[in-house]
Amino acid sequence: AYSKDFKIADFTSNDAIKSTETKEDGEYKISSVKAGNYYLIFQKEGYYDTVQTCLVANTESEVTNPTVILTSHDEETEKGSVSGRIIDSVTGSALKGMTVRIRDGQNNITGDLAADEILTDADGKYKFGDLKPGIYTVQIVDLRDQEQRYISTYFNVYIEAGKESSDNGTGVSPV
């Protein structure tokens, strides 16, 4: 086992709520965590970040996890993909032609060009493939030339090696 740093962050913030280092045997414990949904972000220099979700149901609890596997940047890794469906949040109708962008990193909606950009199909579906493992931001923007327009939104996804992160859709609100 080796020592690794990780942060526990909530779903809406880049700021770590708590952080710790593992013991020599790889064990860790974070005490006094308030009830809620969290991302556990495991990081070590030279390795891909690994993310797990965590639900703390009690008013205050501790967070532990038996096994986390980190993949070295030096290892040949299978790439993953993400797919989903974009709908009108009021009517539930599929939205064709919405621009969907994918960007490296969490909550990344500005700055450099997106890693890739596609349009939703007639069923409101999109899919990005050939993605290295890690955290990405999926951004939905209405660039269509139509009378009914929608407010832009985004969400974060975690891509695992060789797996498809599916059902990553969202409803968007009309302007």
Side-chain angles (χ1 to χ4, degrees):
Y2 49 82
S3 180
K4 56 189 169 291
D5 297 329
F6 76 95
K7 301 173 187 175
I8 182 168
D10 69 22
F11 287 99
T12 59
S13 173
N14 280 330
D15 300 324
I17 294 169
K18 301 215 178 209
S19 64
T20 191
E21 287 190 17
T22 61
K23 298 178 185 175
E24 286 299 316
D25 62 3
E27 287 188 20
Y28 67 89
K29 178 168 54 171
I30 301 176
S31 300
S32 303
V33 178
K34 293 181 181 180
N37 291 305
Y38 297 92
Y39 279 138
L40 295 177
I41 304 172
F42 299 87
Q43 299 174 314
K44 182 173 176 69
E45 186 70 33
Y47 291 79
Y48 291 107
D49 292 354
T50 297
V51 178
Q52 294 183 346
T53 57
C54 173
L55 169 63
V56 177
N58 298 330
T59 50
E60 249 186 44
S61 189
E62 61 184 37
V63 176
T64 60
N65 197 341
T67 305
V68 175
I69 298 172
L70 298 182
T71 304
S72 169
H73 288 163
D74 297 333
E75 286 182 43
E76 189 64 34
T77 58
E78 290 183 62
K79 298 199 175 170
S81 63
V82 59
S83 64
R85 186 169 183 245
I86 309 303
I87 61 169
D88 180 308
S89 63
V90 176
T91 67
S93 300
L95 293 174
K96 177 184 179 181
M98 296 292 286
T99 300
V100 183
R101 298 174 177 152
I102 191 155
R103 299 173 180 268
D104 291 327
Q106 183 176 343
N107 298 327
N108 178 11
I109 59 170
T110 61
D112 294 339
L113 294 174
D116 200 358
E117 178 177 294
I118 58 174
L119 299 177
T120 56
D121 67 14
D123 295 322
K125 294 181 179 179
Y126 71 91
K127 183 174 181 175
F128 293 103
D130 202 32
L131 300 170
K132 291 181 180 178
I135 303 170
Y136 291 84
T137 302
V138 176
Q139 182 181 28
I140 297 90
V141 182
D142 188 359
L143 300 176
R144 303 170 310 155
D145 188 22
Q146 295 189 5
E147 188 173 314
Q148 178 63 62
R149 300 294 303 265
Y150 292 85
I151 298 170
S152 297
T153 191
Y154 69 94
F155 54 89
N156 299 306
V157 296
Y158 175 67
I159 304 301
E160 292 184 71
K163 294 186 180 178
E164 178 173 348
S165 179
S166 58
D167 299 323
N168 287 291
T170 189
V172 289
S173 298
V175 175

